[in-house]
Amino acid sequence: MTTTQESEIETLAAIAIGIVAILHIVFLVMEMFLWTKPIGRKSFGLTEELAAATATLAKNQGLYNGFLAAGLIWAALSVTWSVQLFFLGCVIIAGIFGGLTVGRSILWIQATPGIVALILAFLARN
């Protein structure tokens, strides 16, 4: 591979990791601030009662998504493979677990973008 191609793959990897980070910022906002609002209830298929009863749990989830977003931003700005692997691995594992335990859509919304970003980061490494 030429230096230009390597640079392009590194840029694509950083953009993909950045997109995954943005998704986790959206998850943070949805879970911490919009969970009980009409848009949050509609997005997660919740009744008003269930949203109110689970709001504290959702805020906790949102906070964790914020930590993932911070790590992913660090990973996108870093050329350190171990940082990228760790945070993308966390996203993928959480997405797979959510897809198996909560709903298949989580697999597509969270794990798949993480997998794509990980593949690009791996290609940029070699």
Side-chain angles (χ1 to χ4, degrees):
M1 219 180 301
T2 67
T3 308
T4 303
Q5 289 172 322
E6 290 172 358
S7 178
E8 289 173 354
I9 292 174
E10 285 177 6
T11 301
L12 283 174
I15 290 169
I17 295 169
I19 290 169
V20 176
I22 291 167
L23 285 171
H24 280 78
I25 292 168
V26 171
F27 301 156
L28 174 148
V29 171
M30 294 294 290
E31 293 168 347
M32 292 189 81
F33 305 109
L34 301 176
W35 189 260
T36 59
K37 307 289 189 247
I39 189 169
R41 291 194 320 265
K42 182 179 179 184
S43 296
F44 294 103
L46 304 170
T47 64
E48 193 170 341
E49 296 78 22
L50 184 58
T54 58
T56 302
L57 294 172
K59 286 180 182 182
N60 189 47
Q61 287 176 188
L63 183 62
Y64 281 99
N65 277 310
F67 291 138
L68 279 174
L72 289 162
I73 292 166
W74 178 29
L77 298 174
S78 171
V79 293
T80 307
W81 166 246
S82 58
V83 173
Q84 296 171 343
L85 176 63
F86 176 78
F87 284 102
L88 290 170
C90 289
V91 166
I92 293 165
I93 291 167
I96 291 169
F97 185 77
L100 293 172
T101 60
V102 178
R104 193 173 297 245
S105 64
I106 294 173
L107 184 65
W108 301 112
I109 293 169
Q110 185 172 348
T112 301
I115 291 168
V116 170
L118 182 64
I119 290 168
L120 289 169
F122 179 76
L123 291 173
R125 181 175 183 254
N126 291 324

